[in-house]
Amino acid sequence: MDLDNYLLKNSKEEEISSIVKSLADAAIKISNIIRSIKPQESISNNDRKLNSDGDIQKPLDIISDEILIDFLKKSPAAGYASEEQEGYIDFKNNNNFIVFADPLDGSSNIDVNVSIGTIFSIMSKNNLSLEKAFIQNGTHQKSSGFFVYGPQTTLFVTVGAGTALFGLDETQGKFILIRDNIVIPEKTNEFAINAAYRRFWDGATLKYVTECQSGESGPRKKNFGMRWVGSLVADASRIFIRGGVFLYPSDAREKYKYGRLRLTYEANPIAFLVEQANGEATDGHKKILKLEVKELHQRSPLIFGSKEEVLEYKKSYSSL
Ligand code: P6P
């Protein structure tokens, strides 16, 4: 089954299917561009600016954002917001759906040939002004997903009927279903965190990670492994396929005291996919999808993956 037929079978709204297909066509174009550049080439271009995160915008971030806008303008989307845009873009039509995107997440990995990706979320305007529609919480998502530009180009997507995995068939230029109704294993012995920031962690994170590292002789009575790619879509892809828990908590660094990842175009789309795959996604206290959105580029702690481990992490706060 290809993506078009999957959407026909599982999506209740033709407009949402059409927007997902536009995003898939944009992703194929982005994938082709990424695969056509030589490693190191992108750092030679000194045409760099800073994005809303203060990160250096590599040309591919900007190019990917522009490609998404070009395709979405011709789709049933009414507006668009992304990490590369200060505010939302109004497509000046009477359509009912809005799109959030991180056009090229993990872009610091472009030059070293590590998997990067495009994350998206689709919401209904719910008859609100665009101003208000773009600050609805994550429960209003109708679809979300992410493309991974790695050894394969893949797509994890949900339209509210479970989470499915597709792979790009380069010859046909189509996304073909690999696995439908993905279920993230409830138990895991693999955690993902950037351990270099240990000195900045709060007590609960320190407790949880230390207990994992203590192995079978410690309170968890089992051994754990650790993975950290440093690219959200790559770490998330592994967790959907074999389980695990991803942790990017808030920490003592001023810039990341509310977490590093962005709620509207990183945490919410991932959380929707995770819940559709029987996983859990939290900020440490509340479900990600229930978090109040105050502004487009709002940061949030993000802990997601195998339900048992995410709940174990949450317990670390109550047992402090
Ligand atoms: P750190 C990439 O820049 C990103 O936004 C996510 O893709 C990734 O999970 C995280 O930041 C990595 O952050 O602090 O380990 O470099």
Side-chain angles (χ1 to χ4, degrees):
M1 180 186 287
D2 65 15
L3 179 60
D4 287 13
N5 288 315
Y6 175 86
L7 292 168
L8 206 58
K9 178 170 168 253
N10 290 284
S11 172
K12 300 185 188 68
E13 316 211 27
E14 167 49 36
E15 289 162 296
I16 290 175
S17 300
S18 176
I19 293 171
V20 173
K21 284 186 261 187
S22 297
L23 289 163
D25 291 342
I28 292 172
K29 185 168 181 180
I30 294 168
S31 179
N32 291 337
I33 291 172
I34 290 169
R35 296 188 190 297
S36 66
I37 59 172
K38 300 171 196 62
Q40 298 299 316
E41 186 179 55
S42 58
I43 60 169
S44 59
N45 182 322
N46 52 19
D47 170 26
R48 296 182 176 185
K49 294 180 280 181
L50 297 185
N51 69 10
S52 60
D53 199 24
D55 285 339
I56 294 175
Q57 277 187 339
K58 297 193 184 293
L60 269 180
D61 282 315
I62 302 164
I63 292 167
S64 302
D65 195 44
E66 289 165 355
I67 290 170
L68 288 171
I69 293 167
D70 283 350
F71 278 84
L72 287 172
K73 267 181 180 163
K74 297 169 233 162
S75 83
Y80 170 78
S82 86
E83 179 165 51
E84 309 309 335
Q85 300 287 333
E86 271 311 301
Y88 63 82
I89 297 175
D90 181 349
F91 290 147
K92 307 278 187 208
N93 58 42
N94 296 320
N95 292 336
N96 297 317
F97 296 96
I98 56 176
V99 179
F100 302 77
D102 183 352
L104 205 56
D105 183 75
S107 55
S108 57
N109 294 299
I110 293 174
D111 305 329
V112 293
N113 201 26
V114 166
S115 300
I116 51 183
T118 299
I119 309 171
F120 69 88
S121 165
I122 303 171
M123 277 191 193
S124 161
K125 267 174 56 181
N126 284 317
N127 299 315
L128 296 169
S129 67
L130 282 180
E131 196 77 34
K132 290 195 165 62
F134 274 106
I135 55 170
Q136 298 176 94
N137 75 24
T139 60
H140 293 281
Q141 291 177 98
K142 297 285 188 183
S143 172
S144 75
F146 60 90
F147 300 91
V148 185
Y149 312 116
Q152 293 175 314
T153 292
T154 55
L155 163 64
F156 287 85
V157 64
T158 182
V159 287
T163 293
L165 169 61
F166 291 82
L168 177 61
D169 177 334
E170 308 266 355
T171 48
Q172 296 185 64
K174 279 185 172 183
F175 282 96
I176 306 300
L177 184 65
I178 296 174
R179 205 194 301 179
D180 196 356
N181 289 315
I182 289 175
V183 174
I184 298 175
E186 284 217 13
K187 296 177 182 299
T188 183
N189 62 355
E190 194 165 73
F191 67 94
I193 193 166
N194 186 330
Y197 305 137
R198 186 181 178 89
R199 63 191 181 284
F200 301 124
W201 294 342
D202 63 17
T205 306
L206 209 49
K207 177 176 186 294
Y208 173 77
V209 174
T210 304
E211 288 184 357
C212 289
Q213 291 169 326
S214 306
E216 56 192 11
S217 57
R220 299 299 310 277
K221 298 186 178 11
K222 70 179 194 178
N223 294 324
F224 283 78
M226 194 186 104
R227 290 284 183 279
W228 184 255
V229 179
S231 172
L232 173 59
V233 293
D235 285 311
S237 178
R238 185 188 60 252
I239 288 169
F240 277 103
I241 291 168
R242 74 182 192 204
V245 57
F246 173 100
L247 304 103
Y248 210 117
S250 59
D251 67 38
R253 292 172 292 170
E254 183 56 29
K255 187 174 180 183
Y256 299 135
K257 65 185 178 186
Y258 300 115
R260 170 177 175 131
L261 300 172
R262 306 293 185 160
L263 179 56
T264 61
Y265 44 77
E266 290 176 321
N268 270 339
I270 296 289
F272 188 22
L273 288 158
V274 165
E275 291 204 359
Q276 287 285 314
N278 194 42
E280 192 76 21
T282 178
D283 66 350
H285 307 283
K286 290 176 71 176
K287 283 181 179 293
I288 290 290
L289 297 182
K290 295 277 178 68
L291 295 179
E292 185 190 359
V293 177
K294 296 190 182 78
E295 66 97 11
L296 269 181
H297 301 290
Q298 177 176 331
R299 296 181 193 273
S300 168
L302 176 60
I303 294 88
F304 71 86
S306 295
K307 188 172 280 192
E308 183 184 88
E309 277 312 306
V310 174
L311 297 178
E312 193 64 37
Y313 175 76
K314 284 178 74 173
K315 266 170 35 187
S316 306
Y317 282 98
S318 43
S319 58
L320 280 182

